[in-house]
Amino acid sequence: MTSSPPRTVHHAISSQQLNSPRTAGRLRKLQSAQQLSSNFAASNGPSLISQQRQQQQRNPSISQNPPITSQFHQRSPQRHSRTRSNSDAVIQSSSKVVVSPRRSVVVKKPAVPKDARHELEALMRQGPKDDVSLALQNLRHWILCDGMDADNDGMSHLRIYVWLILLNAPPIATDSYLELTRRGPSPAHAKICNDTFRTFKTNPLFKRRVTDNSLIRLLNAVAWKLHDAKQERITDSARSTNASHQQGRPEVQNAAPALKYTNDTLTATDGSEAGGCSPGIYVQGMNVLCAPFLYVARSEPEAFVAFHRFITKECPGYVRGAMDGVHKGIALVDRCLAIVDPKLSAYLLSKGVQAEIYAFASVLTMCAGTPPLPEVLHIWDFLFAYGAHLNILCICAQLMIIREDLLASSSPGKLLRSFPPLDAKKIIMLSVGLVPRIPEDLYEVLVHHAQ
């Protein structure tokens, strides 16, 4: 059985039907409608549909654009407070939208253009093509202008690698970290355990990702690393002292053994935690400084090498036994605020509110103690890119943001018991504007105060 070709149906109108009064009336209606539409087009121009068709003929690419309704749904997705079934789910055309019966629709927009992200990912994988210093300069400028691409929880798969590059942290074998953890509790284990349970205890983002055991394990590993470095310095110092005694001090060579022991002990103490530029094993606040590294890193060895590099190279004065770098930073908050905002500084001092009352935690933890945590990570991007010393100006910027509230309060110290939530973009931009206002001599002190 063969299929017949499609037939075309022609509606023919006979002459007899044309002469009927019903057909003549229909023709008159069609003629009047055609004349009316032609007169309207001549007076008002082509219709919207005609204009759209003419525009599509001139530019064919316009017809490829998605309809306005789909664009509207992509830009402003519906959010439901209840659990949604598949029947009432809005189907999106974008591949970034995931429709789940248990979750509401969330459209994540990238913080930076695609090209910038691709360039950054290529830099992370392949390294700079030609000039390393130029690549670092571009990386710092990208962080300042565009910011790190991250989700609502502050997570970014590139952030830890950017931090390692900016900190110039050397790679470490995982076995080296495991060897430190296998040594068990460090000499500072009791202090570490006392501080760990207080680390971001009210932050659900941190508690969901980082466990107390992970934090204790990493802090003990760092304590063992610092302990070994201290013992090595003591040994090297004793060897150099013995060599100098044997070569240039004959009176010590002939002296009693007790005198030699006293000289060796004094020299060893000068190079340990009590003095010099070496960090201690563990001080209060190291748990809060360590926490963002564990939150960002994809493994404990990554967090370990980044945190150890940070406290030994960027701010060793903050983790020294006496924490002299922290106290210098607190004094610099008062000095810098007096320059960038003399009126606010004078008012706070007149009320007896000095930086040592409100700025200790912010200086010690690099603003990590002030929520929210995703904003802390953006501020740390900026500090690692341009220097941890700029944390002092970030604290001044936070004070200037709430300047009117402080000046209007009769007890500004109560307002400063807890800083308002961080706004990283506003704080960074204000801090950058404060840099030219700091005198050169004071800025030099600012740069080296944490060493």
Side-chain angles (χ1 to χ4, degrees):
M1 182 176 181
T2 59
S3 60
S4 60
R7 293 179 298 175
T8 306
V9 180
H10 298 279
H11 299 277
I13 301 176
S14 62
S15 59
Q16 186 176 3
Q17 292 175 340
L18 286 173
N19 294 330
S20 63
R22 181 178 299 177
T23 304
R26 290 179 179 176
L27 291 176
R28 284 195 300 271
K29 288 182 181 180
L30 292 174
Q31 290 175 359
S32 61
Q34 183 179 4
Q35 184 178 4
L36 181 62
S37 61
S38 61
N39 294 337
F40 179 81
S43 60
N44 296 280
S47 63
L48 292 176
I49 298 178
S50 302
Q51 294 178 10
Q52 185 177 6
R53 289 178 178 174
Q54 293 177 3
Q55 195 172 5
Q56 290 177 357
Q57 293 176 359
R58 295 175 184 174
N59 190 4
S61 62
I62 297 178
S63 62
Q64 301 176 358
N65 291 338
I68 298 176
T69 55
S70 63
Q71 294 180 2
F72 174 77
H73 286 301
Q74 291 178 5
R75 293 181 181 177
S76 57
Q78 297 181 358
R79 297 182 181 269
H80 296 264
S81 58
R82 62 177 177 86
T83 302
R84 221 171 32 186
S85 61
N86 289 331
S87 59
D88 64 348
V90 180
I91 300 177
Q92 302 288 348
S93 60
S94 175
S95 61
K96 296 183 180 179
V97 179
V98 179
V99 179
S100 172
R102 297 183 179 181
R103 296 178 183 270
S104 59
V105 178
V106 178
V107 179
K108 294 183 179 180
K109 294 185 178 181
V112 294
K114 273 187 177 180
D115 296 338
R117 291 206 314 275
H118 291 165
E119 291 179 2
L120 182 62
E121 291 179 357
L123 179 63
M124 297 297 105
R125 292 192 182 98
Q126 305 171 7
K129 296 180 179 179
D130 299 321
D131 192 358
V132 177
S133 60
L134 179 60
L136 287 174
Q137 182 179 356
N138 293 335
L139 179 60
R140 293 186 178 100
H141 185 266
W142 174 78
I143 290 175
L144 180 63
C145 297
D146 298 325
M148 188 73 65
D149 184 22
D151 58 16
N152 295 331
D153 295 343
M155 300 306 301
S156 172
H157 67 285
L158 294 178
R159 174 169 272 136
I160 184 60
Y161 303 112
V162 173
W163 285 9
L164 291 170
I165 291 173
L166 295 174
L167 293 172
N168 195 21
I172 183 176
T174 304
D175 293 339
S176 300
Y177 175 73
L178 293 178
E179 289 177 1
L180 293 171
T181 58
R182 291 192 188 104
R183 295 168 66 174
S186 67
H189 178 71
K191 295 181 179 179
I192 291 173
C193 292
N194 289 334
D195 292 340
T196 299
F197 75 95
R198 292 194 295 263
T199 306
F200 295 154
K201 63 179 181 180
T202 60
N203 192 318
L205 296 178
F206 180 79
K207 290 299 182 182
R208 187 168 62 239
R209 181 172 175 84
V210 182
T211 63
D212 290 346
N213 292 334
S214 178
L215 188 59
I216 292 174
R217 190 163 48 242
L218 192 145
L219 288 173
N220 275 292
V222 171
W224 277 122
K225 185 77 171 179
L226 298 177
H227 177 270
D228 295 344
K230 179 183 292 187
Q231 294 300 322
E232 185 178 353
R233 286 191 303 270
I234 293 175
T235 303
D236 293 342
S237 178
R239 290 174 181 174
S240 61
T241 303
N242 291 333
S244 63
H245 289 172
Q246 293 175 5
Q247 293 178 4
R249 298 180 62 183
E251 67 278 4
V252 177
Q253 298 178 16
N254 301 325
L259 180 59
K260 294 182 181 180
Y261 177 78
T262 303
N263 282 276
D264 294 344
T265 304
L266 290 175
T267 307
T269 305
D270 291 341
S272 65
E273 183 178 351
C277 59
S278 61
I281 293 179
Y282 180 82
V283 296
Q284 182 184 5
M286 286 178 63
N287 57 316
V288 182
L289 284 176
C290 177
F293 290 101
L294 271 175
Y295 183 81
V296 168
R298 310 180 80 175
S299 65
E300 286 186 21
E302 288 179 346
F304 168 79
V305 67
F307 175 60
H308 180 264
R309 182 74 177 185
F310 176 66
I311 63 175
T312 56
K313 299 299 180 182
E314 295 295 326
C315 58
Y318 282 21
V319 297
R320 201 172 293 131
M323 293 192 292
D324 53 345
V326 177
H327 296 292
K328 292 179 181 178
I330 293 173
L332 285 171
V333 172
D334 283 330
R335 295 179 61 183
C336 292
L337 185 63
I339 293 174
V340 299
D341 197 336
K343 182 178 180 180
L344 178 60
S345 175
Y347 181 75
L348 293 178
L349 293 177
S350 66
K351 298 294 183 178
V353 182
Q354 298 178 347
E356 61 183 0
I357 298 176
Y358 60 84
F360 179 82
S362 297
V363 173
L364 175 62
T365 64
M366 300 286 173
C367 295
T370 306
L373 184 56
E375 297 296 310
V376 173
L377 302 181
H378 284 297
I379 291 180
W380 278 33
D381 296 338
F382 168 68
L383 296 180
F384 293 162
Y386 292 96
H389 61 278
L390 292 176
N391 178 54
I392 304 301
L393 297 184
C394 289
I395 297 173
C396 293
Q398 294 178 66
L399 295 174
M400 297 175 67
I401 290 175
I402 58 173
R403 180 178 187 272
E404 299 301 328
D405 295 336
L406 292 174
L407 292 176
S409 175
S410 58
S411 301
K414 294 182 180 180
L415 296 178
L416 294 177
R417 288 177 181 176
S418 60
F419 276 55
L422 295 175
D423 186 346
K425 186 175 181 180
K426 184 182 295 186
I427 292 172
I428 291 172
M429 291 298 102
L430 187 55
S431 301
V432 172
L434 297 181
V435 172
R437 302 169 61 180
I438 305 298
E440 290 292 336
D441 54 345
L442 181 58
Y443 193 79
E444 190 72 18
V445 177
L446 186 67
V447 170
H448 297 97
H449 81 277
Q451 298 301 317

